[in-house]
Structure formats: structure tokens, C-alpha cells
Amino acid sequence: MSQPQSQGVSGPLSLATLYCPTCNRENLEAFAHCHACQTPLPKRYLRVIWPDDRAPLEPGSYLAGRFLVRGPDLVLDTQPGDPPPYTDSHLALIEPYLKLFAWRLHIPQVFGLLTQPEPVLLLELGPWGKVDITADLPILQLPQTLTGLTSAVPLRQAWTKAGLFRQLNWLWQLGQLWPVLTQAGVSATLFEPEYLRVEGAILRLVQLTLNPSSETAPELGQLLQAWSEWFPVQAVATQARWTTLRENLPQAADLASTYFQTQIQAWITEVAEDYTFTFDLATQTDKGPRRKRNEDNCYPPSETFLVAESEVLTLVCDGVGGHAGGDVASGLGIQAFTAALPELRHTLISGGDIQTTLETVIHRANDLIAVQNDAEERQDRQRMGTTLVAALAQQAQLYLAHVGDSRAYWITRYGCYQVTLDDDVASREVRLGLSPYRVALNHPYAGSLIQALGVAPSAHLRPTISPLIVDEDSLLLLCSDGLSDLDRVEQYWPTLLLPLLTDANSPTDLRQACQALVELANSRNGHDNVTVALIRFRVQPPEHTPPEPNYVQIFYPSPEELGSDVLLLEENFEPEQILPDSLPPAPENLRLSWLRVAVMVLVITMLAVGGWAWYQGYWLFSPHQSDPSSPPTTNSGY
């Protein structure tokens, strides 16, 4: 195995060299952006699942000549622009992760798979933190090198200091995860306390554990008994209610799961009545610098700012590019929802099934657009369509409705989380268990939608309705792909959105944040219309209720702080070790050679052919009901 020994800056901080994903220039790990092209430098930390009989590598060594070992099970990808290592000869090993792709808010995802010769699994987007880095590595002194990590802490550590509302939220998420993990054959994971971590209100799993066998699959009652021992509740009244809930749990597996979720939901509703919830909402849309008209729409209308205290509804619709009448379709989608406002409000107030009502309204919007298509005799690619992402909040309850590739992001002090899953070919490949997401992105139609409103009959439409519990100040961003393309939200949320939560003295309000997001989309993307809707949740606990502990450990330095850190580096090292031109050379396998030139020519040719194919058949609307990877309409994951 080739392991570069001279990468990075030697010395007390042991900085690695990262290769820019855009221009392939060498950069110090401490840099936030490439010194040559200003591309944001991702700090991609991966968890390594080693074979049972293999000892982990020593920190400072390299796995496969690319991944710098930072802890017993943690590596840093020093070549984030290169494709992940992967072989499809061990699909059974990664299948549970692929099938649970819709639940990636809680479950890490497969990055790649090495064979050396035993399979070595690499996981990404998981709750790795400082605790996973070897404690004596001085790299922990520089915060900007750790921005790829999270502030997750073990659930055992957080449980005893959390309030009842937060504990019930974690139990509610347990109830959501239990049936899907059971179906995937990995419910044993929830019996491993060391694999349970939390990032604020979010329950996250470090990795998955296969059930021993179908005959010995664990039961929910056994899990609740184990959790009662690991995570005890203190108050006498709370303990009595928890004991009663466990004792009354039905024996049948499906009934037990439904009963548990219903009881915890009712308990949360009671506790939340003592809290005060306020919703700030702002919207903005723009046609962008290159489009002749704006096919996006939003509700409330663009440049709205309002404050609500009971419930709030907001939507973003993106008339699908390449389809005549996209602006009409997105407008009809908004129209259907606004007409249903009294129905939605009545369902919320009466305690009805809001998820079913949302699905009904979405089907109604689909039919409204489809009727218009039929009346104008539009066929195939001439049929207009639209994406939809909607958020409906009342008190602690938040419901997301989603069709297409417009997205919802949930931002807390702990991180930025994409909570919707694009309805495109790449995501379908993953949920079918065919390949990891980064591999599926190489599919010639990876970004083509498999469903949108108005294009096919409602019988073939499978909207995703996802519930969430909000128990802390947080943000919800809905946006069209004019902003989300090229990971712009993931790259810029610390500077544009996080101050809305962390800096009480920040002059930035939601309207300014929306404007900044639109400007970001137009300047860094610019190829499409852009629409954003931003909700700020303010959660005020009852008097004398202590605040939830703050476990944030990963901080995102400001430009001024980044500058001071670079100066600190200059004080610790010789100047020639800091200047970009003096960085160590790239390994031979990264240098531009005749082979790389040939590959580039081949890629350009393939892109040209792919572009022609895209023009000929952009749409791949297949009957979505026949897709076994699709999550259920309710409890479909975040």
C-alpha cells in the first residue's frame, strides 16, 4: 500500500495537505478555501468499519494512500475531489445503509468500499466528533481544521442533563426509527449504547449492527427495558408514566410500535403546552442572471416577512426546467395549497390526521396541473410540471411535504441538515440498493426527476410527508435548486445562517438572510431561478425551566479568525512552510500526466454525448408506486 510520507507540514500541529476538488492544487488543511481558485475546501472525515480481525492503523499513517488516519476509526480524505473507492462485490455489506438512505438525518451513509483484501467500509455524514480523534494529536488546537466534524456527544452523557421535553423528543425519534430498522434487519443497533449519539435534539447512529438472525430479532419491549436501565428518568411522576407505558405495550410487533409512537406523541403535546413557540418567516424569489422569466413561486409571496404564534405554512415550487408553462405549473401548485388553508387549519386544531390531509392536498394540486395539461393537449415533454417543498408548523409539530428536488434544510447550532431526499434517479439507485450515492451520481441521468406535480396521474405520485419535533431555537430553509445546486447551502450556512441563532446582537434579520442567499445563488451558481423561504423557530421554555446544556464543540471561524490562525501558523513554522507555492508536491498519482489528459478528453466527450441525451430525454417519470425503495408516505424519514 502506497502511503505518502511527506504530505502536509511537519511540526507540532501535523497539518495535512488537501488537494482542491476544482483545480487539484495543494492546500494546507487549515485553509478554508483553495488559495488558487477560492473553492471551499471540504474537510471530509470518514468512519472506517474494519474487518473483525484487523487492527486499526496508527494516527498519521495513510489508508490506501489517500485517507489520513486521525483516530482508531476515523480518517480524513485528503483528495476530496476524487471519486470514492468502490467495488460492487460486497453489496450485502452496505445494503442496509442504502435501503435506509431516506433516514440519513439519523444514519450515516456509505462513502466507499476498499478491498485489501477484506472489505473496509468507509462511512460519511455521521456523528463523528473530537472524541473520535486520538486525544494527543495537536491538530485539535486549530478549530478551522475540524469543521468537517460534528458536536455530537454520547446519548448517555446528554440524557441525565436534558429536560423532559428533550428526552421525549429522543424517545419519539426512537419510535420513528424502530420499525424501519427492524424491517432492514438492523434494529440491534439501538441496543448498542456506544452507537447512540445526539447533536442537540437529533438522535444519530454511529453505525449499523446486523440482527443475529430473523428468529432472534429483538422486540420493542426488550429495547424499552434496556433503555430504562441505560437512560433513567428522575421525576417520580415521569417514572410512573414511563413504567405504565412499558407495561401496557401490546405483544404484537406492529401494534407495539404504533402504541409507543402514539403515547410519546401525546406526552410531547402535553409538555409542549407549557412552552411558547414563535415563528418568523421571510420569503424571496428571483429569476437569476441568465433566465428570461421566473418559473419559481412561493407562498407567502416573495419579500414577505411575518411573525406567527399559532401555526405557519410556507411553500416553494419550481416550475420544471425545459417544460413550457413551468411558471404556470408552479403557480397552480401554490394556488391549490392556499385554497386548502382552512382545511389544513381545521385539521390541526381538531387533532386530525394532518399527514393524510397534506397528501390529499398534494394530489389535488397534481390533478389541477394535470387537467390544465390535458386541456391544452400537452403530451410527453410538453407537459408542464413543478416541484414542491412545503412546511407546516404548529407549536412543536413540524410537517414537511415534498415532491421533486426542491429541498428543506434544518439548521441548528450543531449543524445544517438536508431533511428532504431528491426525487431523482441517483437517489432511486441508492434506495434500490444498487450503489452508494456518490457512485450513483455517475449515472447518465443522475439528476433527472422521477416525479413532479402535474406530469403523471395522482395514482403514480408518491409524495413524502415527514414529521419533526422542534424543541429548540432553529431555522428551516426551503429552497429551489437554483440555490442548493453545487452544495452552496452546505458551504455557506455557517456565515449566512448560523449567526441568526448564535449571535443575539447580529443586525442580520431573516429578510437580509434571504437576500444574501439569493445573491449567493446568483453569483456562485446563476444558472437558474432561485427561491428561498426561511422560518426561524423561537422556543421559550416555561419559567424556572433550566436551558438545555450546550455541547457545541465545533466552531466555524470568521474570516478575521481564519486570518489570525494563519498568522499563528506563521509564528510556529518557517514562512516557506506556509506559503502556497512552497507546499509539498502532489503525489505522483495526482500529477497531471498524459493519462489524465486522455481521461479529461474522454470525460468531455461523454459530457457532450450526455448533454445530447439529456436534451432528447430529460424526463424519466416512471410509475413511482412500483419503486420498492420509496419510503412510506408517512414516517418516511427526514
Side-chain angles (χ1 to χ4, degrees):
M1 180 188 305
S2 172
Q3 296 182 8
Q5 301 298 322
S6 61
Q7 283 191 331
V9 176
S10 61
L13 294 179
S14 304
L15 289 177
T17 294
L18 299 185
Y19 295 90
C20 175
T22 299
C23 69
N24 202 40
R25 291 290 298 273
E26 304 96 331
N27 289 270
L28 282 185
E29 178 183 7
F31 295 168
H33 297 80
C34 174
H35 69 87
C37 68
Q38 295 304 304
T39 296
L41 290 175
K43 310 297 193 304
R44 182 182 296 139
Y45 284 92
L46 307 170
R47 182 174 178 85
V48 184
I49 309 298
W50 305 97
D52 292 337
D53 57 348
R54 176 169 175 174
L57 299 177
E58 288 295 321
S61 61
Y62 281 81
L63 174 64
R66 169 178 173 178
F67 304 101
L68 174 61
V69 178
R70 280 285 165 78
D73 304 301
L74 191 73
V75 296
L76 173 67
D77 186 1
T78 63
Q79 302 167 25
D82 285 7
Y86 178 69
T87 172
D88 59 4
S89 58
H90 298 281
L91 273 177
L93 180 65
I94 66 175
E95 185 178 23
Y97 293 95
L98 304 184
K99 293 297 184 68
L100 294 170
F101 187 49
W103 294 85
R104 59 184 177 174
L105 178 63
H106 306 284
I107 299 171
Q109 292 303 309
V110 175
F111 173 78
L113 191 64
L114 297 167
T115 304
Q116 301 188 345
E118 302 87 357
V120 177
L121 181 59
L122 301 175
L123 300 179
E124 65 173 332
L125 303 176
W128 345 126
K130 287 185 176 181
V131 67
D132 297 297
I133 293 183
T134 300
D136 59 354
L137 283 183
I139 197 69
L140 293 169
Q141 300 173 24
L142 286 180
Q144 68 267 33
T145 65
L146 305 177
T147 53
L149 296 173
T150 74
S151 294
V153 296
L155 178 58
R156 273 182 164 172
Q157 175 184 341
W159 181 270
T160 56
K161 298 179 181 179
L164 178 59
F165 193 3
R166 176 62 54 83
Q167 291 177 341
L168 290 174
N169 191 356
W170 290 332
L171 288 172
W172 180 85
Q173 293 171 66
L174 167 69
Q176 299 287 302
L177 285 168
W178 174 258
V180 295
L181 294 184
T182 299
Q183 184 177 10
V186 290
S187 55
T189 307
L190 298 175
F191 288 83
E192 304 280 356
E194 65 272 20
Y195 292 163
L196 307 177
R197 295 183 181 179
V198 292
E199 292 176 33
I202 304 174
L203 176 65
R204 306 197 68 194
L205 308 181
V206 173
Q207 65 184 68
L208 297 177
T209 300
L210 291 173
N211 294 344
S213 68
S214 58
E215 291 78 11
T216 59
E219 298 179 355
L220 180 57
Q222 296 172 318
L223 178 63
L224 298 185
Q225 177 61 41
W227 273 46
S228 297
E229 299 172 2
W230 299 330
F231 313 116
V233 291
Q234 304 300 326
V236 175
T238 303
Q239 179 65 52
R241 183 166 180 173
W242 175 240
T243 301
T244 301
L245 188 157
R246 290 180 12 242
E247 291 176 348
N248 293 336
L249 195 71
Q251 293 296 319
D254 55 341
L255 296 179
S257 179
T258 301
Y259 172 82
F260 179 75
Q261 293 182 44
T262 302
Q263 293 298 312
I264 295 296
Q265 178 70 66
W267 201 346
I268 287 176
T269 301
E270 294 176 20
V271 172
E273 289 178 353
D274 295 329
Y275 286 69
T276 301
F277 297 86
T278 305
F279 313 107
D280 303 336
L281 170 63
T283 61
Q284 188 162 342
T285 185
D286 188 85
K287 72 178 182 65
R290 302 179 191 172
R291 291 298 180 94
K292 294 181 179 179
R293 68 175 186 272
N294 193 350
E295 296 188 340
D296 287 5
N297 265 292
C298 60
Y299 176 84
S302 182
E303 300 187 11
T304 292
F305 176 77
L306 59 85
V307 178
E309 295 183 352
S310 53
E311 71 273 337
V312 66
L313 171 70
T314 186
L315 304 92
V316 167
C317 289
D318 178 3
V320 178
H323 283 238
D327 53 336
V328 176
S330 62
L332 290 174
I334 298 293
Q335 176 184 326
F337 260 83
T338 54
L341 279 174
E343 181 181 358
L344 292 168
R345 185 172 290 111
H346 173 75
T347 305
L348 285 172
I349 295 174
S350 63
D353 187 349
I354 189 62
Q355 298 186 72
T356 299
T357 303
L358 282 170
E359 184 177 3
T360 300
V361 174
I362 290 175
H363 284 153
R364 200 177 298 158
N366 184 78
D367 293 339
L368 187 64
I369 301 169
V371 167
Q372 184 83 1
N373 277 324
D374 295 340
E376 298 178 7
E377 298 183 348
R378 295 174 180 262
Q379 301 295 328
D380 301 325
R381 294 183 67 252
Q382 281 70 45
R383 292 180 72 85
M384 57 184 173
T386 184
T387 69
L388 165 77
V389 60
L392 177 63
Q394 182 197 43
Q395 299 293 88
Q397 309 291 332
L398 171 62
Y399 299 94
L400 299 176
H402 167 252
V403 175
D405 63 356
S406 294
R407 292 181 178 178
Y409 292 89
W410 192 17
I411 297 98
T412 74
R413 290 176 175 85
Y414 291 84
C416 175
Y417 311 91
Q418 181 185 333
V419 291
T420 54
L421 189 65
D422 295 346
D423 287 325
D424 60 15
V425 170
S427 296
R428 186 174 66 177
E429 291 285 296
V430 180
R431 291 186 293 176
L432 285 170
L434 299 178
S435 67
Y437 184 66
R438 292 187 184 275
V439 176
L441 289 176
N442 295 321
H443 191 287
Y445 298 111
S448 297
L449 297 180
I450 58 174
Q451 65 170 357
L453 294 183
V455 179
S458 290
H460 297 308
L461 188 68
R462 290 288 299 275
T464 300
I465 314 294
S466 304
L468 286 168
I469 301 295
V470 180
D471 69 4
E472 64 180 344
D473 291 358
S474 52
L475 299 170
L476 183 72
L477 169 66
L478 308 185
C479 65
S480 60
D481 59 357
L483 173 63
S484 61
D485 279 352
L486 302 179
D487 298 331
R488 297 308 181 199
V489 176
E490 290 85 349
Q491 293 169 359
Y492 290 94
W493 74 271
T495 54
L496 298 183
L497 296 175
L498 187 58
L500 293 170
L501 296 174
T502 59
D503 188 356
N505 298 318
S506 172
T508 303
D509 64 13
L510 290 192
R511 287 164 291 192
Q512 292 174 311
C514 285
Q515 178 63 36
L517 290 170
V518 168
E519 292 175 357
L520 169 68
N522 287 339
S523 62
R524 300 294 291 174
N525 288 342
H527 57 277
D528 202 353
N529 311 140
V530 57
T531 301
V532 298
L534 192 58
I535 303 177
R536 176 165 50 196
F537 299 88
R538 300 179 186 270
V539 182
Q540 180 64 41
E543 191 175 0
H544 306 306
T545 300
E548 292 293 336
N550 185 354
Y551 294 105
V552 174
Q553 300 173 332
I554 305 302
F555 299 95
Y556 299 87
S558 66
E560 294 78 11
E561 292 170 326
L562 285 173
S564 65
D565 283 329
V566 172
L567 290 176
L568 174 64
L569 290 175
E570 292 175 348
E571 294 174 358
N572 282 277
F573 300 107
E574 294 298 325
E576 61 268 23
Q577 292 180 302
I578 297 301
L579 295 177
D581 291 339
S582 301
L583 289 171
E588 289 297 327
N589 64 333
L590 288 178
R591 291 181 180 173
L592 199 61
S593 62
W594 67 269
L595 179 60
R596 175 157 291 193
V597 172
V599 171
M600 290 175 64
V601 172
L602 178 61
V603 169
I604 292 172
T605 303
M606 292 177 64
L607 287 174
V609 174
W612 177 84
W614 175 87
Y615 178 79
Q616 294 296 318
Y618 178 77
W619 287 93
L620 293 178
F621 288 110
S622 57
H624 203 58
Q625 283 187 320
S626 63
D627 183 357
S629 70
S630 299
T633 300
T634 58
N635 301 336
S636 57
Y638 307 148

